[in-house]
Each structure stands twice: as C-alpha cells, then as structure tokens.
Amino acid sequence: MNVIENRGGGVDRRVLAEAVEALREGKIVLYPTDTLYALGCNALDARAIERLCRIKGLNPDKNTLSIVCSDLSQAAEYARIDNKAFRLLKHYLPGAFTFILPASTTLPKVFKGRKCVGVRIPDCEFARALAEELGNPVLTTSADAEDEDELRSAESLALLYQGQSDIVLAVDNGEGSATPSTVVDVTDSSAPEIVREGAGIFED
C-alpha cells in the first residue's frame, strides 16, 4: 500500500488526484476525515462497495452504509432531504456528524435493502474535495484498530490493512482523532434521534 502525505490541513492537488484516480479504478483508499481515518470507495461502484463491505465485515441488509459528500447539494442528489432535515444539516455541517436519511434511487442496489443512507459532510477539506473531484459521493466506513494510537495514525493503519490488495493508497493527513462521528437518525425529520454519541455535539 502506498502512503502519501497531505500535510497542513489543506488539499495537496497531486495527492488528491492520485486518490481520485484510485477510486475511479474501483480501488479502496484510506483517507482522513474530521474524526477517524476512514476507508472509502466510489459510492456508485457496486463491486467496490461489495469489496469494502467484505473487508469490514459489513452486511448492507443489516448495516446502514454511509457516504461522504462534498456539500449539501451533492448530498441532495443521493438522499431525500425534506425542509426540516435540510435546515438541520445546514446548521451542523460540515461537522463531525453522520445523518441517517432516506436513500434516493440514484444509489446502487446495494443500498436498497435498508432504504436509508448515512450522510457525512466532514469538517475536513480533503475529505470533501475527494467527493467533489470524484463527482459523486465516497462510500465511507471508519478504519479499525484495537489501539487508540494506531487509530490516529495513517501509517499504522496502512500496516494493519497492508494484506488487503484492494486498499491501494493511504493519505496521511497527520494525527487523526480516535473518536467517531455522532450519528443522528433524521428519517423522521420532525423527531431526530441520536443513535450514537460521538465527536459532534447535537442539540435539537
């Protein structure tokens, strides 16, 4: 696995181009967010999604899949966002939240089992640029490690996943967080429900 540095909190266009090329080829990349480092693939590539789910042990029929979007406009193409949900998302995003919303029909069939999708717009410029440059969302799932220090390090995570041939690239953005995003279910936008407390502070 190739580890490339994107330091300084911004977007190194060379690093971004290499990551986007990998996604377009159906590969999986390790990349930074505003919370944990994440594994991501092209959210419109069904085969890449299947490979990523297999690596993480996810069952799309039981686990809600999440996507990283560049902004609310892109999110609205892949999730159904009513007026109340839109106001909520606009208030909290970009930020350390995953909002569960009804999925639109533009997502691959793998999403149809649960009929909902987690939407992330991280407060991380590189993560948002990844979805913007790709032209569609990135399917995302947090990288796993037993040790908190490993969770924070792209190099350590790259070593843990080095046996996975589908993960071809790790983007090192410096020390990450060991706290996941806060998950809020807004499938009923009139009654938001916190599913998981995390880095984001939700006050409805």
Side-chain angles (χ1 to χ4, degrees):
M1 186 189 309
N2 187 21
V3 180
I4 52 178
E5 290 191 2
N6 178 76
R7 299 301 177 106
V11 179
D12 183 318
R13 303 305 297 186
R14 179 190 61 81
V15 173
L16 179 66
E18 191 169 338
V20 169
E21 182 181 4
L23 294 176
R24 287 178 176 155
E25 291 175 352
K27 301 299 184 181
I28 297 166
V29 299
L30 175 74
Y31 70 101
T33 73
D34 53 352
T35 56
L36 302 170
Y37 272 94
L39 297 173
C41 70
N42 185 342
L44 301 188
D45 186 330
R47 289 184 178 179
I49 292 171
E50 289 171 1
R51 289 195 291 271
L52 181 51
C53 287
R54 186 170 62 250
I55 288 169
K56 280 296 302 281
L58 298 174
N59 181 344
D61 293 331
K62 296 181 180 180
N63 301 112
T64 298
L65 301 180
S66 295
I67 56 176
V68 162
C69 299
S70 57
D71 52 27
L72 282 174
S73 178
Q74 188 180 74
E77 296 179 40
Y78 300 95
R80 299 200 304 275
I81 306 173
D82 62 24
N83 290 336
K84 285 184 178 179
F86 181 83
R87 287 194 294 270
L88 199 65
L89 270 61
K90 189 174 182 181
H91 177 72
Y92 284 103
L93 299 175
F97 294 90
T98 300
F99 287 100
I100 300 174
L101 293 156
S104 75
T105 56
T106 51
L107 288 167
K109 289 182 180 179
V110 68
F111 285 88
K112 302 302 187 289
R114 293 294 296 259
K115 299 182 180 178
C116 60
V117 61
V119 169
R120 286 220 65 203
I121 303 176
D123 188 16
C124 171
E125 190 177 357
F126 188 89
R128 298 195 307 274
L130 202 58
E132 181 178 11
E133 190 71 15
L134 182 62
N136 56 255
V138 177
L139 184 87
T140 189
T141 178
S142 298
D144 288 333
E146 293 183 3
D147 184 85
E148 188 172 299
D149 289 336
E150 290 179 332
L151 275 179
R152 296 176 181 271
S153 167
E155 287 192 2
S156 295
L157 289 167
L159 286 173
L160 290 174
Y161 286 107
Q162 66 180 349
Q164 300 289 345
S165 60
D166 288 314
I167 308 175
V168 297
L169 181 67
V171 178
D172 186 348
N173 203 50
E175 184 174 324
S177 170
T179 306
S181 64
T182 293
V183 180
V184 184
D185 188 335
V186 286
T187 50
D188 177 0
S189 60
S190 64
E193 181 181 350
I194 297 175
V195 177
R196 181 185 70 195
E197 296 275 6
I201 299 173
F202 184 79
E203 297 175 345
D204 183 39

